[in-house]
Structure formats: structure tokens, C-alpha cells
Amino acid sequence: MPVEGPQLPVGTQVVLRVARPDADGGTAQRGATGRVSGVTPDGRYTVHLVDGRDATALRDQLSPRTAYQDEAIAVDQVDGDELVRNHTIYAAVVGSRAFGLDTDASDTDTRGVYVAPTEAFWSLAKPPTHVDGPEPEWFSWEVERFCELALKANPNLLEVLHSPLVVEQTPLGEELVGLREAFLSQLAYQTYSGYVLSQFKKLETDFRRDGAPKWKHVMHLIRLLLAARTLLAEGKLMVDVGPDRERLLAVKRGESSWADVERWRLSLHEELDQALTKTVLPATPDVGRVDAWLKSVRKRSVTCEARPE
């Protein structure tokens, strides 16, 4: 008889989900605890109980102790899809279409921000910090998580706020976009250049091993450096690649040699270093301004929820 569910290693603390006969002819009650001591030839688990008795049980008659306790106090989870559908304040197309690097075969990737009702945080079941879906190629963050990551200069989130292809924007979304300069800081130097450097090391290994890297990935890493250079030099995040489009697409098609790409990358790193010495960006983002706005969003949510219909 096969074991149902993930196999439990010997020594795992478990709880009986149902009453089971013990080896002495008695009954081990539901909720009895012990440790897995082995698996019988017919696929049953042998459990050595805390009182010294032994019992056998199928996999679906056992739960790891911590999982059993979590299940016992579980409350209904917040519906992430509902949050995205009814509480999104901002969404924009990102990726190749926003960069101006799309082809007929390109996906349409959308990223959004939703505001979970303040009341939802008063439960043991907190709202999800992010939701994948409900539509294909659509990923969203709860506004607090979004702000936290954007303040750390995460390139993916900064580009959401600066995408030229906005698909949804409420008054709160307009406020968030109005704050986008507050997220910009010299932290971008570490997040952009550090990520590119680490990824190029991996691509270089691929090139030595396989004779060719993943050229689409190479193109996007160069694009990140171009964006970072402009951000540090001018204080503006440009998402569309503009005049660099054809050169980047040539990289994607594998029409540029690795040596040429490497020279371009090193040149951009040098320009990035120079831009940092003269940048107009502050050393750190305006955390206070963003935090004050987030608090106001939570307070307004409470007011709206309390308002009689």
C-alpha cells in the first residue's frame, strides 16, 4: 500500500488525526503525540507515543505536530484575488513592451499595487503581501510591501511606477505615482550595478561551458545598466530604451560578440561610477514622506469602512 502525502522521516514529531489501535490491544486517542519510528512493509507508519506505546497509521491519519497546531487555530484566509480585483490602486505594463523592446511574440506583463482594507490587518490571518494573478502575467504587491521594496531601490518596482503603459490608476494610485521621486536614491547604484555584476559572472560561466550565454538575459542586464546610468546622472528613471533599442535587440538576437558586449558592459560600469560622483540623487530615499503617506492611506481606509452606506 503506497504512502499518501509527503513521506515523514523517522524521528518526526506527529499527531494522530484519528483514534488508532495500539500494539497492546488498547486505543491511542485522536490527538495523541509521538515520533515516527519506522514504516511497515504495507506502507503504514509506526509511531512511538509519548507514553511508551506503539501504534501504526496511514499517512493521511497523521500530521506533523506543528502543522496540526497551525491547523487547529487556522482562520479563513484573505482572498488575494479579490484584493487585486477590488482594491488595486495602480497597475502598469512592464517588461519588453514598456522598454520598447517588444516583438510580436512578447508577453504582456502587468504589475500592480493593491491596498488591503485596514480592518483586514486586525485578524490573525493577515492579507497577503503579494498576489500572483488572478489574470495571466499579472502580479501585484500590497501597498506596504511595495513601498518597502521600492524604498530599497528594487529595479523591478521602481520601473512599475515609471512605466509609460499605465492600465489602471485610482486617485490613491495618482498619489503613489506623485511620490515616485521620493523612492529614488543612491541606493540604486548598489541594487542595479550589484545585480548586473553578479548575473554577468554567471553568464560568463555559461559562455565558457556552453559556448553561448542566454542572449535575452544579457540584453536585459545591459538595459539595467543603461537605466541606472541615466538615473544617477539625471535623477530620472527612463524605462523606454529609446535610441539604444536596435543595439539591444542585436544583442538579444546574438548578433553581437561576447567580447563586444563585455566591452559595452565595462564601459557602462565606468560611466555609472562617474555618474555616482556627480549624482543629484540623495544618499537615501525620503522614507518619512512615503511612511506618512502610507499611514494616511491606512487611516482613510478605516474612515471609509466606518462610513455608513
Side-chain angles (χ1 to χ4, degrees), residues 251-305:
V251 172
K252 179 182 178 181
R253 293 190 295 265
E255 296 171 359
S256 300
S257 69
W258 179 258
D260 287 342
V261 171
E262 182 69 354
R263 279 193 293 271
W264 192 10
R265 178 182 74 84
L266 292 175
S267 173
L268 287 172
H269 272 296
E270 183 177 348
E271 292 175 24
L272 191 59
D273 289 343
Q274 294 172 354
L276 180 64
T277 65
K278 304 174 182 178
T279 186
V280 297
L281 291 179
T284 57
D286 194 343
V287 179
R289 184 180 170 198
V290 174
D291 192 48
W293 176 77
L294 180 60
K295 290 177 181 176
S296 78
V297 170
R298 299 296 191 214
K299 290 178 181 177
R300 281 181 278 174
S301 175
V302 173
T303 301
C304 290
E305 291 163 13

Side-chain angles (χ1 to χ4, degrees), residues 216-266:
K216 180 179 179 180
H217 197 187
V218 173
M219 176 194 71
H220 283 299
L221 292 175
I222 293 292
R223 182 200 62 78
L224 274 176
L225 282 176
L226 289 165
R229 180 197 60 186
T230 304
L231 175 58
L232 287 169
E234 302 177 18
K236 299 178 181 178
L237 182 58
M238 303 301 295
V239 176
D240 192 297
V241 298
D244 294 300
R245 180 176 189 271
E246 292 307 319
R247 189 177 180 186
L248 286 166
L249 288 176
V251 172
K252 179 182 178 181
R253 293 190 295 265
E255 296 171 359
S256 300
S257 69
W258 179 258
D260 287 342
V261 171
E262 182 69 354
R263 279 193 293 271
W264 192 10
R265 178 182 74 84
L266 292 175

Side-chain angles (χ1 to χ4, degrees), residues 37-99:
S37 57
V39 181
T40 64
D42 64 355
R44 298 176 185 272
Y45 285 92
T46 302
V47 179
H48 187 65
L49 302 172
V50 294
D51 60 6
R53 293 180 296 164
D54 290 296
T56 59
L58 296 173
R59 175 62 183 87
D60 59 4
Q61 295 171 331
L62 296 171
S63 285
R65 183 176 61 81
T66 54
Y68 186 87
Q69 293 172 334
D70 289 342
E71 182 181 329
I73 65 169
V75 294
D76 291 339
Q77 299 296 307
V78 179
D79 186 341
D81 289 353
E82 188 273 335
L83 288 174
V84 173
R85 289 193 177 99
N86 298 324
H87 298 278
T88 290
I89 63 169
Y90 177 82
V93 173
V94 296
S96 296
R97 296 194 182 280
F99 304 147

Side-chain angles (χ1 to χ4, degrees), residues 93-98 102-110 136-137 216:
V93 173
V94 296
S96 296
R97 296 194 182 280
D102 55 299
T103 64
D104 292 340
S106 297
D107 293 330
T108 300
D109 298 316
T110 307
E137 312 300 333
K216 180 179 179 180

